[in-house]
Amino acid sequence: MAGPGAYPGVRDGDADPALVHLGDVFGERFGGPPSHLSRAPGRVNLIGEHTDYNDLPVLPMALQREVKVAYRGRDDEVVRVANVSGEFAPVEFRVGPGIERSAPGHWGNYVKAPFDELARRFGIRKGLDGVVTSDLPVASGLSSSSALVNAVGIALTQVSGLALGPLELADIMAEAERYTGTRGGGMDQAVSMAADSGHATRIDFAPLRMRSIAIPSEWRIVVADTGVRAEKSGRAQEAYNARRRECEEALAHVVANVGLERSGGSDMTYPAMLDTLGFDGALAAGEAALDGKLLRRFRHVVTEARRVDQAEVALSTGDAEGFGALMIGSHDSLRDDYGVSSPELDALVACAREGGAAGARLTGAGFGGCIVALAVSDTVAGVLDAIRTGYDPGPVAGPTAGQAFVAVPSRGASVRPW
Ligand code: NG1
């Protein structure tokens, strides 16, 4: 067995202890050093929640926290992937289409997902040995799952010699992640794959388009954890998938009610409907065609899409107050119309605002997980302090409750020789 530090990264003076440990675990498990390191960041979504799967825009940024995979290709079809965290048991399987799923909620499904997808699309039959490490909290709305899918996905493209552009690969990874049972949109895979450092990204869908917008140097993006996990492979999955079905149903009613089918066809998308009716026209058409839950879902989606457009302008012009007000509107809509907030998320948002944040909202799917708050350089200390001292997590929150950090807008996924 190799001693500690026997397989460090090749860069001179690379003293990152997490990487040294990763190399050691790889050497102990598989013998010898890995050949490459892939990495993919998590993300925090600034605004545009539950819009991506309706083909409407989002405005996230990639985080400094990420998933890393140390790996080496194999000459056969076997895949063996371990995790430095004892919480996640190793997985082993053979590459090919139709890979048998692990139990629902098992992390191995996020490893299998890109192999299954790339095998089906490109006939890939090449395995690898890999070890995963991550400093992203799990099931917290920061896309640890998509970061894992992306980091494994780019490792597999590298060992297989597949040359795919970042947008194409992001689209494929979004499809791949549906292997896990969540009918997610494509925001997380896109921003994790192709973000620019220092920037947020406006993403539009069908087809996927990305535009980087610089984050003003005095803005501080604060992320804080409720401590309540929102396992999208578990209890939140059905609630998430139900929202998606409700949005489809609501759109179909609106389209039928205003007679758009005759011109646009019954499979009209949200963007096409908004192009035809405009935001106010769409809201009026929703009021006329819908009531109860479907009206609330529809209203959230349409108003949130409008907030993304407005937030993009506020970001580009450095209008922190305006951006913050839109975040508050987003949170209220997610709580009241979309039904995805929780007492803990509401409490944490309130703390951030009391601490002087320009705005705050739940981020990601909701049902627990994290909030995002906007502060500027001279208010950030007060916001962090209010979160750390003022948040009373309640009985269901775990050890990460009240943990907060300032997010650094980071670059998308990459791969390099070990
Ligand atoms: P998180 O918070 O990572 O579970 C999910 C979806 C996104 C998006 C948001 C809600 C996946 C992988 N992610 O994010 O596509 O729909 O919810 O805006 O399904």
Side-chain angles (χ1 to χ4, degrees), residues 60-128:
M61 60 175 244
L63 294 172
Q64 69 271 39
R65 298 190 176 195
E66 58 188 25
V67 172
K68 293 185 178 72
V69 185
Y71 67 91
R72 191 175 60 206
R74 295 174 57 97
D75 294 329
D76 59 15
E77 301 177 355
V78 173
V79 181
R80 301 184 297 176
V81 178
N83 196 306
V84 295
S85 163
E87 201 184 332
F88 305 105
V91 285
E92 182 167 339
F93 57 93
R94 285 182 174 274
V95 187
I99 298 167
E100 195 185 335
R101 287 174 179 73
S102 306
H106 195 289
W107 80 292
N109 286 330
Y110 295 93
V111 176
K112 291 177 176 178
F115 281 94
D116 188 79
E117 188 67 27
L118 291 172
R120 281 197 299 108
R121 287 184 189 236
F122 302 107
I124 281 173
R125 293 293 181 274
K126 197 163 163 56
L128 57 76

Side-chain angles (χ1 to χ4, degrees), residues 252-274:
H253 282 304
V254 170
V255 164
N257 205 47
V258 293
L260 281 175
E261 303 140 296
R262 283 194 295 277
S263 50
S266 56
D267 55 357
M268 181 173 255
T269 62
Y270 272 92
M273 183 269 301
L274 286 174

Side-chain angles (χ1 to χ4, degrees), residues 16 48 84 120 131 136 151 174 181 198 214-215 237 246 286 321 333 383-384 407:
D16 180 345
V84 295
R120 281 197 299 108
V131 179
L136 277 163
I215 298 186
Q237 188 176 79
E246 288 155 9
E321 287 308 314
S333 175
V383 172
L384 288 168

Side-chain angles (χ1 to χ4, degrees), residues 43 45 48-54 58 110 139-146 174 177-178 180 182-189 205 230-232 240-241 244 300 304 334 338 361-367:
R43 64 98 183 96
N45 189 16
E49 218 63 85
H50 291 277
T51 45
D52 63 350
Y53 51 82
N54 294 309
V58 293
Y110 295 93
S140 298
L142 302 182
S143 276
S144 58
S145 64
S146 301
E177 194 164 334
R178 296 184 187 124
T180 65
T182 306
R183 294 181 64 210
M187 158 170 66
D188 304 348
Q189 300 82 1
F205 300 92
E231 304 279 3
K232 249 196 328 53
Y240 180 93
N241 289 343
R244 186 169 180 154
H300 167 73
E304 187 75 351
L334 288 160
Y338 220 64
R361 53 182 291 281
L362 71 85
T363 189
F367 315 108

Side-chain angles (χ1 to χ4, degrees), residues 398-412:
T400 57
Q403 287 184 5
F405 66 96
V406 177
V408 179
S410 302
R411 72 188 170 115

